[in-house]
Amino acid sequence: MSRLLIEASTPLCLLQDAGRFGVRHLGVTQGGALDWVSMSWANWLLGNALDAPVVEITLGGFTVQAEDYCLLALAGADLGAYVDERAISPGRTFILQKGQRLRFTQPFSGARAYLAAPGGFDAPQVLGSCATVAREELGGLDGFGRALIEGTQLAYSGVGGAMRELSAGQLPKLDSKAPLEVILGAQIGQFGGQSLFDVFNSEWTLDSRADRMGMRLLGTPLEYQGPSLISEGIPLGAIQVPPDGQPIVLLNDRQTIGGYPRLGALTPLALARLAQCLPGEKVRLAPVVQETAHRQQMEYLQRFMNR
C-alpha cells in the first residue's frame, strides 16, 4: 500500500468517482466528478478503470506529502501544481518519492484538477460508489460525505504502471469558446419566441452562486408561458428556469425531482467543459438533436480505447 498525507485542503477537495446509479428512486442523487472527461483521462494514464476513485481538486489549496514511493497521474485544470519546487502540468503521470510534496496553488486554466492513483484511491463503497455528496452525507474516505481534511491519509494498493503523457490531441481544451450543446426538452415550446431567440443568440455569464448542485446563468430573463408543472425527475445537465427567468444548469449533486420548466439538458461533453468554467466567464448555448449528441459521445469514448 502507498500513502499520501494531506497537509492542506479545502471543502472543495473531494474524493469522487463516476457517481451513484440506480438509486434516484430513493431520493439519492448521482454525485461524482463534475468533469468526467478529465477524471477519465487521469485514470487512463495509469491504465485504471475510467471511473476509479480520484481526488477532485477545485481552485487549488491542496497539498499532500508522500509517505511512500507513489506513482500518480494528473489531468484537468492547471491549478499551479508543484512537486516540491518543480512545476508540473496536467496530462501526465509523475512520481513522488517518499517525503516529497505535491501542492496546488491557484487556477491558471480551468477550475478542477483530477489526481489519480494506480487502481484508484481506497475508500468504502456506499450504495455502489465512493462519490462524496456532503448534503446527503454519503461517500468520501469515511463513507459519511466529508471533504478531504488536513491530517488524513489517502491510500492506494494498485500496482504502478509506466510514465505516460497525453498528446496535444488528447488534452481536453479547457479554454474552448465553442457553444455548450443543449438537447431540447419537453417544455421548450412553452417559452416565448423572444426568449427562445435570446437563449441561443446571447452570451450568458456564470454567476458566483455556483456549487456542485448547479450553476446559474445570468442574462436576459427568459419568459415561460406554459402552465404550472408537477415535479418530475431531473436529469444531469437539466437547464431549469425559475420565476426570475435566469437559467440554472443542474449538476451532479442536484435534487432528484423539480417543478420548474426546463429548456433541455446539456450534453455530457458540454457539462465537462462547463465544469471547468469560473464565475464571471461567458458561455453560449447551441441546440443539438439527440442523435448527434449520442454520436459525438460515442466518438469521444472511442479515444479511451487505446490503452
Side-chain angles (χ1 to χ4, degrees), residues 122-186:
D122 295 340
Q125 297 278 302
V126 182
L127 297 177
S129 168
C130 71
T132 305
V133 182
R135 184 185 72 254
E136 297 180 351
E137 298 183 353
L138 296 175
L141 285 180
D142 61 1
F144 291 98
R146 297 187 179 96
L148 299 173
I149 61 173
E150 179 182 340
T152 56
Q153 286 183 334
L154 289 164
Y156 69 90
S157 50
V159 178
M163 300 296 290
R164 303 178 74 180
E165 184 175 348
L166 297 180
S167 68
Q170 291 171 314
L171 282 170
K173 295 178 174 58
L174 304 185
D175 59 351
S176 172
K177 298 302 180 183
L180 302 173
E181 295 189 313
V182 180
I183 301 171
L184 302 183

Side-chain angles (χ1 to χ4, degrees), residues 46 75 91 196 211 232 263 285 307:
L46 292 167
L196 291 178
D211 56 21
E232 58 186 0
L263 293 168
L285 304 176
R307 290 285 182 171

Side-chain angles (χ1 to χ4, degrees), residues 186-204:
Q187 289 95 41
I188 188 70
Q190 294 172 318
F191 286 87
Q194 183 62 48
S195 291
L196 291 178
F197 179 86
D198 291 338
V199 167
F200 299 113
N201 292 277
S202 304
E203 286 189 329
W204 296 92

Side-chain angles (χ1 to χ4, degrees), residues 239-279:
I239 306 174
Q240 283 192 334
V241 182
D244 66 1
Q246 303 295 295
I248 302 173
V249 181
L250 297 176
L251 304 176
N252 298 57
D253 290 4
R254 67 199 181 279
Q255 69 276 23
T256 56
I257 62 173
Y260 290 140
R262 288 180 284 155
L263 293 168
L266 290 186
T267 68
L269 289 170
L271 277 167
R273 287 196 286 125
L274 179 64
Q276 293 294 356
C277 294
L278 295 167

Side-chain angles (χ1 to χ4, degrees), residues 224 226-230 259:
Y224 173 69
S228 298
L229 301 173
I230 298 174

Side-chain angles (χ1 to χ4, degrees), residues 10-11 28 33 39 41 49 70 80 88 91 107 168 223 225 233 245 250 266 278 288:
T10 77
V28 177
M39 175 193 72
W41 281 122
C70 296
I88 181 169
E223 182 184 1
Q225 299 177 338
L250 297 176
L266 290 186
L278 295 167
V288 63

